[in-house]
Amino acid sequence: MSLKTTKLLFFISSLVFSISVFSQSLPDSIIKRIDNLYTKWNSSTSPGCAVGIIRNDSLIFAKGYGIANIENEIPITAKTIFYMASVSKQFTGYCIVLLARQGKLKLDEDIHVYLPWAPDFGKIITVRNLLNHTSGIRDDIHLSAISGIGYEGMLTQDLALNIIKRQRSLNFSPGEKYSYSNSNYVLLSEIVKAVSGKSFRSFADSSIFKPLRMLDTHFQDNYTELIKNRAVSYDRLDSNHFANNFQNVYTLGDGGLFTNIEDMANWVNNFYNPKAGDLSDIVQLTERGKLNNGNLLTYALGIGVNNYRGWKTFSHGGGLAGYRTFIKVFPDLKMGFLVFSNLGDFNSVANTNALADIFIEDTIAKKKEVQKVQRDSLTAILKDASSLRKFTGFYIGESGLPLSIDIKNSKLYYHIYDESNFLIQDAKDSFSIPDAPNIKFAFSIKAKDTIVDLVTPDEVYHVLKYRLDTSLTEEKLKAYTGTYYCPELDCNYSIVLKNHQLLLSNAKYNDTKITLVNNNHLLTEYWWMNHLKILRDNKENIKGFEINSGSVMHLRFNKIK
């Protein structure tokens, strides 16, 4: 028997093993429907996914589709270890909840009580602010990219903490807004360490993983440590070829968790039948956050609280390198769905929802059917398109969000990055996305400004209309050139002029083009600093710029020459 034949038989036997162990309670017709969802990845030459379904206290289905390690032709099974990325956050939140019940910390206490070395922003940030992503602290992964860590640099816990410690300003005042930031959970892991007297890894292991018999699960606090049976991370080159996409972030709290389907099934069961902690701990873990103005968030303590098909859900996704993971729990039905992938273009959210749809009755099916009929492209046709032309054009959000609005075929369209769709008119100047009626575009004109308020369940983003500047004389462009320094990151960027084109330059990256929206707003092709707001003195001379880009706001660079 050839080596190739042996490996093929091993691949087939592994798949059969997972079915025979975990699918006995499901009829063949249901198993076939599940298999059909993942046919695309069910190959001996492609990365894929591991799937798990939990009902009550049992893992009723677990199966691997595709390959965990292409080089060695090792298939994915229910035991394959995946990096969970941000799915890790719910375990960090639970560590905090358990410590609070032990009286070792308070959620509404200033974080400096536990981390006296944390930077002083001049405003109180509580443990709860970190848990709910309402602290205003900038994202460490985003900051590391700006600082010049490079595409292949390694972000460790120590480096992330050093970056956070140097920060002197916030995105916003604590509790004012919700903004997802990994820094919050890096700091929470340090709080666990400080108040428990144990390493974060050790506390999670003794307080959660061992009681739940998650024996193949751990937080990785040493990136050189070997992990047996780990799925390798891949990106797609084309339909039949793949490339390694190595994990280069090894921080704790925000991520760091390695686990598999079998272990995570025990965690799902803990949401409605707790064996680590008790029901009051689960209630606190899933308590939705609240802004200073009283508005409720959908984000709780490391996990989202939403509704799906009319049922309450606890869910969270993760994505880093080529890992794409998602967990969705229906506590009232005592069911959970897990989908973990090692391929970068895998949509873990959509694939988990498709899996849940097989089992979860849609309690609002009739209502959804009416919405589906009423929200198709025909209903997007405008009765008076001419009255809305004043809202067409190019907009920039406070955090650098680029938005274009135009009218085509009597429909109003939005364009954000690579996403584009028509909008449904809900009221005179209010529109929403066809498949997401809870995301609204509210247009208004105030004084000379045309504004879109982009309303989501957790936040309102103010987006202002601009007219792109086409009067670009050489003298005007030269005014922007120079070297700019950020004391909070100790790094430089330069703006240079070549062939009548402004470029943003850094020693760690290739130069990128700069587009002038107007005198004070510049756009670049770097994702980590796509929007620069120019700062001027009282004589209108340029004295620097600040980055307003996604999870990093008001980060200042001073012009030094």
Side-chain angles (χ1 to χ4, degrees):
M1 183 180 294
S2 70
L3 179 62
K4 185 174 181 181
T5 304
T6 302
K7 289 180 177 178
L8 179 60
L9 288 176
F10 173 69
F11 174 77
I12 295 171
S13 65
S14 297
L15 296 185
V16 172
F17 173 78
S18 65
I19 296 173
S20 63
V21 172
F22 298 113
S23 303
Q24 293 174 354
S25 60
L26 294 179
D28 291 344
S29 59
I30 294 297
I31 293 173
K32 184 176 181 180
R33 288 180 65 186
I34 296 170
D35 286 343
N36 287 341
L37 294 176
Y38 307 104
T39 301
K40 178 180 177 181
W41 301 278
N42 194 21
S43 164
S44 61
T45 60
S46 168
C49 61
V51 174
I53 302 168
I54 301 91
R55 179 184 290 150
N56 297 317
D57 61 352
S58 299
L59 180 60
I60 63 171
F61 182 90
K63 185 174 179 179
Y65 301 87
I67 294 293
N69 185 312
I70 293 176
E71 290 90 335
N72 297 309
E73 298 181 351
I74 299 173
I76 294 172
T77 73
K79 293 183 179 293
T80 300
I81 303 293
F82 287 84
Y83 176 63
M84 290 290 102
S86 288
V87 170
S88 310
K89 289 182 171 68
Q90 58 203 277
F91 293 93
T92 308
Y94 205 52
C95 286
I96 293 290
V97 166
L98 295 176
L99 287 167
R101 182 160 60 84
Q102 295 172 18
K104 294 183 177 181
L105 61 78
K106 296 179 181 178
L107 300 192
D108 295 309
E109 191 75 84
D110 187 334
I111 63 171
H112 291 91
V113 171
Y114 313 110
L115 304 176
W117 48 260
D120 182 6
F121 296 107
K123 298 176 181 179
I124 292 177
I125 296 174
T126 66
V127 176
R128 194 184 299 275
N129 287 143
L130 298 180
L131 290 162
N132 295 149
H133 293 295
T134 59
S135 70
I137 297 175
R138 299 169 182 137
D139 181 74
D140 62 294
I141 296 177
H142 198 153
L143 289 169
S144 71
I146 297 171
S147 70
I149 194 172
Y151 295 113
E152 299 176 356
M154 177 73 72
L155 180 62
T156 62
Q157 184 81 352
D158 286 344
L159 179 55
L161 290 173
N162 287 335
I163 289 172
I164 295 169
K165 287 176 183 178
R166 292 181 64 93
Q167 298 301 295
R168 293 295 176 265
S169 55
L170 298 168
N171 286 342
F172 50 81
S173 294
E176 180 183 296
K177 296 180 180 181
Y178 165 90
S179 181
Y180 192 91
S181 172
N182 289 291
S183 297
N184 293 312
Y185 279 74
V186 170
L187 291 173
L188 286 167
S189 74
E190 292 296 311
I191 291 176
V192 171
K193 178 181 174 181
V195 304
S196 71
K198 299 180 178 181
S199 70
F200 177 68
R201 173 174 179 163
S202 177
F203 182 81
D205 186 60
S206 62
S207 301
I208 302 175
F209 304 145
K210 278 188 170 60
L212 295 181
R213 294 191 57 77
M214 298 174 68
L215 303 181
D216 291 324
T217 300
H218 73 280
F219 275 99
Q220 183 88 340
D221 54 6
N222 176 3
Y223 66 85
T224 66
E225 181 181 352
L226 299 178
I227 301 176
K228 186 179 180 180
N229 206 24
R230 170 171 31 178
V232 177
S233 159
Y234 297 101
D235 275 338
R236 184 184 298 278
L237 296 177
D238 56 40
S239 58
N240 297 310
H241 298 91
F242 306 91
N244 287 309
N245 185 351
F246 294 112
Q247 180 184 346
N248 64 344
V249 176
Y250 280 89
T251 49
L252 291 171
D254 62 328
L257 184 72
F258 286 83
T259 189
N260 60 23
I261 291 292
E262 291 184 16
D263 275 12
M264 282 294 282
N266 295 338
W267 171 247
V268 168
N269 180 249
N270 197 63
F271 277 100
Y272 43 80
N273 183 25
K275 295 179 181 178
D278 57 34
L279 278 175
S280 66
D281 296 322
I282 298 299
V283 169
Q284 188 164 50
L285 178 72
T286 57
E287 180 183 358
R288 292 166 60 186
K290 186 183 295 185
L291 299 178
N292 294 340
N293 61 12
N295 288 351
L296 276 177
L297 304 173
T298 60
Y299 204 87
L301 279 62
I303 196 158
V305 180
N306 292 281
N307 284 279
Y308 186 74
R309 311 200 105 194
W311 300 95
K312 179 192 287 187
T313 61
F314 304 142
S315 62
H316 210 294
L320 183 73
Y323 297 108
R324 299 293 182 267
T325 59
F326 201 75
I327 171 176
K328 197 180 198 83
V329 180
F330 293 79
D332 296 333
L333 298 176
K334 296 185 177 180
M335 286 199 74
F337 301 88
L338 309 169
V339 179
F340 308 153
S341 177
N342 62 334
L343 181 58
D345 66 356
F346 187 92
N347 189 329
S348 57
V349 178
N351 280 290
T352 305
N353 287 343
L355 182 65
D357 289 348
I358 296 175
F359 294 84
I360 304 300
E361 179 185 0
D362 194 339
T363 62
I364 52 174
K366 291 182 179 179
K367 181 179 178 181
K368 285 184 69 175
E369 190 63 31
V370 170
Q371 289 179 342
K372 184 177 180 181
V373 173
Q374 293 178 342
R375 298 185 65 81
D376 59 19
S377 61
L378 290 178
T379 61
I381 295 175
L382 302 170
K383 295 180 180 179
D384 184 9
S386 60
S387 67
L388 296 170
R389 292 198 181 279
K390 60 182 178 289
F391 295 133
T392 61
F394 180 77
Y395 295 73
I396 300 178
E398 295 169 313
S399 58
L401 182 75
L403 168 69
S404 292
I405 301 291
D406 60 20
I407 295 176
K408 294 186 297 184
N409 301 321
S410 297
K411 302 184 189 75
L412 194 69
Y413 280 81
Y414 76 90
H415 311 274
I416 300 176
Y417 298 115
D418 296 330
E419 182 180 341
S420 180
N421 203 350
F422 58 82
L423 292 167
I424 303 291
Q425 190 168 17
D426 299 319
K428 181 181 178 182
D429 296 328
S430 180
F431 295 76
S432 59
I433 298 175
D435 296 330
N438 59 342
I439 300 178
K440 298 186 181 298
F441 293 70
F443 295 88
S444 62
I445 297 177
K446 299 177 181 178
K448 295 181 180 180
D449 292 330
T450 303
I451 300 169
V452 177
D453 285 338
L454 182 54
V455 183
T456 71
D458 285 335
E459 191 54 87
V460 177
Y461 299 91
H462 303 289
V463 190
L464 190 64
K465 182 178 177 180
Y466 292 94
R467 179 173 296 177
L468 291 173
D469 193 345
T470 57
S471 58
L472 305 177
T473 65
E474 197 79 2
E475 182 179 358
K476 183 175 182 178
L477 293 175
K478 283 182 179 179
Y480 296 94
T481 62
T483 301
Y484 297 78
Y485 173 72
C486 176
E488 293 183 71
L489 292 179
D490 190 24
C491 69
N492 292 332
Y493 280 80
S494 295
I495 295 180
V496 297
L497 181 61
K498 292 182 181 179
N499 300 322
H500 201 67
Q501 172 67 58
L502 287 178
L503 302 172
L504 188 62
S505 181
N506 178 273
K508 301 291 182 65
Y509 302 111
N510 294 328
D511 294 351
T512 185
K513 291 182 179 180
I514 293 175
T515 300
L516 269 71
V517 179
N518 64 11
N519 288 342
N520 295 326
H521 290 275
L522 279 59
L523 300 180
T524 87
E525 295 177 1
Y526 289 153
W527 68 261
W528 55 92
M529 49 193 300
N530 70 305
H531 176 220
L532 312 179
K533 181 181 178 182
I534 295 297
L535 305 174
R536 298 178 183 272
D537 62 21
N538 55 13
K539 294 183 179 180
E540 290 300 303
N541 295 315
I542 296 175
K543 60 180 183 179
F545 62 73
E546 66 176 29
I547 296 176
N548 293 310
S549 181
S551 58
V552 170
M553 299 286 291
H554 314 301
L555 181 64
R556 180 162 178 159
F557 280 71
N558 299 314
K559 189 173 183 180
I560 57 176
K561 63 180 179 178

